[in-house]
Amino acid sequence: MADGGIGERVLRKEDFRFLTGAGNYTDDINRPNQCFAVLVRSPHAHAKIQSVDAAAAQSAPNVIAVFTGADILADGIGSLPCGWGITQTDGSPMAEPPHALLQADRVRHVGDPVALVIAETREAARDAADFMDVTYEILPAVTDTAATAVKGAPQVHEEAPNNTCFDWEIGDANSTDAAFATAAHLTTLDLVNTRMVTNAMEPRTAVGDYDAGGDRYTLYTSSQAPHVIRLLMGAFVLNIPEHKLRVVSPDVGGGFGSKIFHYAEEALVTWASKKVGRPVKWTAERSESFVSDAQGRDHVSRAELAMDKNGAFLGLRVRTTANLGAYLSSFAPLVPTYLYATLLAGQYATPAIHCTVKAVFSHTVPVDALRGAGRPEATYLIERLVDQAAAEIGVDPAELRRRNFIAADAFPYQTPVALTYDSGNYQQALESSLSASDYAGFDGRRVESATRGKLRGIGLAAYIEACGAAPSAIAGALGARAGLYESGQVRFHPTGTVTVFTGSQSQGQGHETTFAQIVSDRLGVPVDNVDVIHGDTDRIPFGMGTYGSRSLAVGGSALAKAMDKIIAKGKKIASHILEASESDIEFAAGKFTVAGTDKEIGIAEVAMAAYVPHNYPLEELEPGLDESAFYDPANFTFPFGAQVCELEIDEETGTVDIIKFTAVDDFGRIINPMIVEGQVHGGIAHGIGQALLENCVYDKATGQLLTGSYNDYSMPRADNVPSYDTATQETLCPHNPLGVKGCGEAGTIGAGAAVMNAVVNALSTRGISHIDMPATAHNVWQAIRNSKGRMA
């Protein structure tokens, strides 16, 4: 192993260019003779388009073209596709209404695009957009999740009666009902999982560039999945053959899920580039991102837990309504079904579970995956329910968890909701977190806080995540195969340096470092001699991109398989050069040796021999040392952990101050501890943001987005988060060659539940047993005031 291998705290290779302003983001890309696009968007949540008059905009200075929904229809442009279908409980397909690039007859959410203005400069396009004359007939709107399917609610699509996209279920209803019938105690909890705006640091940007000479299109876009965009846009929207379409995603400034999906703007600039004969660039303004980027979460649920007289879990029943927004985003149906309900077992040996999900349309921005994508929603529901149950039966929350954990020797463990957990030691993680947080000493700290007029609370969350999967593993968990995977290519150059090509797409995770460490560890090449290439469909064989914490477990495993091929070919070359049998050649630490002798040759020398074959078995081998592989995981990986949040509440103002946050995680083998810590820290901050601050709110009467800027949508700041106390334990994943699991979403998955359990624990002394997210100062203060009124 060279310096910088697996397990070392290697500084991120990519950070130098980011910190010195040398990053190359999509908005940094400017093509020769480029023009600029601005979208005209609906100011109404629901309205008929009565007329669109583009004459004034078209005649404005420096305007090149104006396109409307009529132009899209005239060119036969397809609808934005949904990449995951759901079969309803009755066996029928889900409702999938069309999603046009530009609306021609009706708008269904504030921000729905109706026209595209292209001009010589962005300022000219923006000015001309103000001249667009669109006449609307305003219609009633529905935005509230619980109200969408109520009789008489305004309809979003004719194709979806009662605003229902699908009704779906998982688990065994009969066995769950039987478990409830024998229960000694039932706990019921109604929960709202609030809607969030993603707010990646880099707004979305797209540049379309049509080459008439070669009849080829290039799209530069800030995406987490370039090959997915090429497939969806080329095959389903613009009807461009894949060999005629290149998608490039350079440096991406954060995504958190929102940049997985195919958006109208990507197709529009690609199509418009051919129409106007020039490259076309669009960059979102921040306020535009609030009404055009896919949003996240937005569940309303009722959860019921059945227990025996000793607090053992007998059954779990969940009824969830999931708001999908106005249209189906690329993978929206997947999130509240297979990424949510399949995790409702949590870390617990609950023998019977049944969940129904009603997915509904509303006059709001579409909803899709957001950091954790279904897993935070499931964990929040389970962990709040467990704490509520503990309070009702008078058992310490940690003890109730201990009584119900899946035992460490019970793996592989088949849950009642499709998944098979491969490994775990849940109690060890819990005990470590309790020890690190001094859980036993909490009562004394609570008394001390009371002397200062503060309410102190402590909350736990024991989370599990299913991640690191290709779509085929998702299907495989349910008895089918979808045949998708990840690719990796390892190319030695004659001088012994290495270029890695991966279908994974970094958006801040540090792929250029961790993938280089894997290569360094396995092949003995210094980290600085390894370059990692991603984000270009012309250079990468194929790739499914980055989401669901899959890059290392799936993309890294593909590279491991490619390196196995490199070593196998290297042994053949080494055996020829060293005049030994191939079966006697061993490889370690970058050297091929003849077993039992001191004869050896370095892998760099083997690479040179492969490209300059003066002493090379040409009859047996092709020249070169360049291998590719695809990896299709057999199962998810299952990171897990335990988090403890301790906080104080100012009873007079409702202000919540997190005092300490402890997290113990099991991510399998750790490639770079520093990067893992950074991912956990960021994930926890994301979860704290939802728990205490963030909330996407629409006016129930008009459908207007009330939190459409940072003036109204509160993001976590440095003084909202504490210094974290984090640690890891190691249970290797048994089914991928690296033994790794994912870590990018784990902090988020548990943090919301831990914080809200701590808030409720603090408020319990005031007779409050539940409060919905976000626990803002106003919401907490109001809950305390209402409680005092009830107690008076």
Side-chain angles (χ1 to χ4, degrees):
M1 180 187 77
D3 290 341
I6 290 175
E8 296 192 33
R9 303 176 71 90
V10 177
L11 295 178
R12 295 190 354 153
K13 298 176 65 177
E14 50 269 75
D15 280 352
F16 178 79
R17 72 173 185 272
F18 295 149
L19 294 172
T20 57
N24 184 37
Y25 298 92
T26 307
D27 194 47
D28 294 318
I29 295 172
N30 293 291
R31 305 297 297 157
N33 202 30
Q34 170 182 286
C35 50
F36 296 85
V38 167
L39 281 156
V40 178
R41 298 182 182 275
S42 169
H44 307 295
H46 191 202
K48 288 182 181 179
I49 299 174
Q50 294 184 324
S51 65
V52 178
D53 186 348
Q58 184 69 69
S59 62
N62 295 314
V63 169
I64 298 167
V66 177
F67 298 110
T68 67
D71 299 303
I72 296 295
L73 293 172
D75 271 18
I77 301 301
S79 172
L80 290 170
C82 178
W84 194 278
I86 292 294
T87 300
Q88 300 198 72
T89 302
D90 64 6
S92 63
M94 69 181 188
E96 189 174 353
H99 186 185
L101 303 186
L102 296 174
Q103 301 307 323
D105 60 352
R106 186 180 294 237
V107 292
R108 293 177 172 85
H109 69 87
V110 172
D112 217 353
V114 297
L116 182 75
V117 179
I118 299 174
E120 296 290 349
T121 67
R122 184 177 290 114
E123 292 75 19
R126 188 183 298 118
D127 290 344
D130 290 338
F131 292 126
M132 286 293 297
D133 185 7
V134 184
T135 303
Y136 298 96
E137 177 189 342
I138 301 174
L139 301 172
V142 61
T143 62
D144 183 62
T145 303
T148 50
V150 173
K151 185 177 180 180
Q155 294 298 287
V156 182
H157 297 281
E158 292 181 1
E159 299 88 344
N162 299 316
N163 292 325
T164 299
C165 178
F166 58 80
D167 284 303
W168 179 86
E169 67 176 348
I170 192 170
D172 190 324
N174 292 333
S175 64
T176 304
D177 291 344
F180 272 76
T182 63
H185 183 85
L186 301 178
T187 293
T188 301
L189 192 60
D190 293 322
L191 306 103
V192 174
N193 203 294
T194 49
R195 180 182 285 236
M196 298 180 72
V197 178
T198 307
N199 284 308
M201 186 178 294
E202 174 206 25
R204 287 189 300 112
T205 300
V207 183
D209 190 356
Y210 175 69
D211 173 18
D215 189 30
R216 288 198 89 226
Y217 300 79
T218 299
L219 169 67
Y220 302 90
T221 181
S222 46
S223 173
Q224 297 176 222
H227 281 89
V228 172
I229 303 306
R230 185 181 70 171
L231 172 63
L232 295 178
M233 185 175 76
F236 299 100
V237 183
L238 299 182
N239 194 28
I240 301 172
E242 285 181 282
H243 70 290
K244 293 288 188 180
L245 176 58
R246 177 189 181 197
V247 177
V248 179
S249 292
D251 290 327
V252 178
F256 310 114
S258 68
K259 294 177 182 173
I260 304 169
F261 325 119
H262 178 35
Y263 289 94
E265 297 87 357
E266 294 167 322
L268 284 169
V269 297
T270 306
W271 168 76
S273 177
K274 182 175 182 180
K275 299 288 284 187
V276 302
R278 295 170 60 177
V280 179
K281 181 176 186 176
W282 167 84
T283 300
E285 296 182 353
R286 181 60 65 180
S287 59
E288 191 175 15
S289 297
F290 272 81
V291 296
S292 64
D293 290 5
Q295 297 172 352
R297 316 285 193 246
D298 204 343
H299 286 192
V300 174
S301 299
R302 167 161 289 190
E304 301 170 278
L305 181 64
M307 295 175 285
D308 70 12
K309 63 181 181 180
N310 298 315
F313 300 166
L314 302 177
L316 174 67
R317 184 188 290 136
V318 178
R319 304 288 179 263
T320 292
T321 300
N323 194 334
L324 301 180
Y327 305 98
L328 288 177
S329 180
S330 299
F331 301 104
L334 177 64
V335 177
T337 53
Y338 298 118
L339 297 183
Y340 162 68
T342 57
L343 270 297
L344 287 174
Q347 297 185 5
Y348 309 111
T350 308
I353 300 174
H354 183 248
C355 175
T356 62
V357 175
K358 177 182 284 292
V360 295
F361 293 108
S362 66
H363 294 106
T364 62
V365 174
V367 172
D368 210 314
L370 168 63
R371 198 174 196 167
R375 283 70 58 89
E377 295 93 314
T379 299
Y380 179 65
L381 182 146
I382 298 163
E383 293 303 291
R384 278 292 300 119
L385 188 63
V386 170
D387 260 36
Q388 181 73 15
E392 291 179 0
I393 65 175
V395 174
D396 183 271
E399 175 58 26
L400 187 59
R401 288 172 170 82
R402 292 188 189 100
R403 294 181 189 180
N404 288 283
F405 278 148
I406 299 166
D409 60 359
F411 296 93
Y413 179 83
Q414 177 63 56
T415 74
V417 279
L419 297 183
T420 301
Y421 297 168
D422 55 25
S423 59
N425 190 333
Y426 305 146
Q427 184 159 338
Q428 178 182 341
L430 177 66
E431 301 303 337
S432 296
S433 68
L434 296 178
S435 175
S437 63
D438 187 21
Y439 186 79
F442 170 74
D443 288 342
R445 297 191 295 277
R446 170 174 264 179
V447 171
E448 188 279 328
S449 293
T451 65
R452 294 182 283 107
K454 301 293 181 69
L455 305 177
R456 197 175 190 105
I458 196 165
L460 312 179
Y463 78 89
I464 187 168
E465 178 183 6
C467 68
S472 50
I474 297 170
L478 300 158
R481 300 295 285 175
L484 298 175
Y485 34 74
E486 193 52 86
S487 71
Q489 181 180 357
V490 178
R491 176 183 296 167
F492 264 93
H493 302 288
T495 55
T497 59
V498 175
T499 299
V500 168
F501 301 87
T502 175
S504 299
Q505 173 66 41
S506 178
Q507 67 250 228
Q509 297 93 332
H511 290 178
E512 294 173 37
T513 304
T514 52
F515 286 157
Q517 286 183 257
I518 293 169
V519 173
S520 176
D521 190 89
R522 185 77 175 95
L523 300 181
V525 179
V527 164
D528 288 340
N529 286 352
V530 181
D531 278 343
V532 177
I533 305 297
H534 54 81
D536 188 338
T537 61
D538 272 9
R539 301 188 69 183
I540 309 301
F542 194 79
M544 294 307 297
T546 292
Y547 46 84
S549 300
R550 72 189 294 273
S551 291
L552 192 58
V554 186
S557 292
L559 294 177
K561 291 183 66 176
M563 286 188 285
D564 288 343
K565 294 180 180 180
I566 290 281
I567 292 169
K569 185 173 183 179
K571 285 183 177 181
K572 294 180 184 295
I573 300 169
S575 70
H576 179 82
I577 295 172
L578 297 174
E579 299 179 334
S581 170
E582 182 183 337
S583 61
D584 290 335
I585 301 296
E586 299 174 344
F587 179 77
K591 295 183 182 297
F592 295 93
T593 60
V594 180
T597 75
D598 59 358
K599 295 175 67 177
E600 65 179 28
I601 183 172
I603 196 167
E605 297 171 84
V606 168
M608 177 63 79
Y611 286 98
V612 187
H614 62 277
N615 185 18
Y616 188 81
L618 286 171
E619 302 81 8
E620 304 172 30
L621 296 175
E622 295 178 351
L625 197 57
D626 184 346
E627 297 290 344
S628 299
F630 291 86
Y631 178 71
D632 188 9
N635 195 3
F636 292 94
T637 67
F638 295 97
F640 63 89
Q643 299 180 348
V644 183
C645 176
E646 190 166 340
L647 51 77
E648 285 185 335
I649 295 176
D650 186 320
E651 192 168 6
E652 296 304 313
T653 66
T655 301
V656 178
D657 183 19
I658 297 177
I659 305 301
K660 185 175 184 180
F661 199 104
T662 304
V664 176
D665 301 288
D666 192 317
F667 299 132
R669 178 169 286 120
I670 303 296
I671 304 300
N672 186 318
M674 180 191 69
I675 289 178
V676 167
E677 289 166 8
Q679 289 287 299
V680 171
H681 291 182
I684 294 171
H686 213 147
I688 289 172
Q690 183 180 17
L692 298 183
L693 299 162
E694 299 183 56
N695 191 16
C696 181
V697 180
Y698 291 86
D699 184 272
K700 293 183 180 180
T702 66
Q704 290 296 320
L705 179 60
L706 301 180
T707 52
S709 75
Y710 291 142
N711 286 330
D712 304 295
Y713 189 93
S714 183
M715 295 280 286
R717 295 170 172 81
D719 61 348
N720 298 124
V721 297
S723 294
Y724 309 115
D725 184 2
T726 64
T728 58
Q729 63 182 47
E730 189 173 289
T731 305
L732 297 183
C733 174
H735 59 75
N736 70 51
L738 297 173
V740 297
K741 307 174 187 178
C743 72
E745 300 167 293
T748 305
I749 290 169
V755 172
M756 293 308 297
N757 279 339
V759 168
V760 173
N761 179 257
L763 296 177
S764 64
T765 59
R766 297 298 180 264
I768 297 169
S769 61
H770 179 68
I771 181 173
D772 279 320
M773 298 187 288
T776 62
H778 176 268
N779 290 345
V780 171
W781 179 87
Q782 191 66 61
I784 294 171
R785 301 285 82 72
N786 293 342
S787 176
K788 286 182 176 179
R790 289 193 303 269
M791 298 172 68

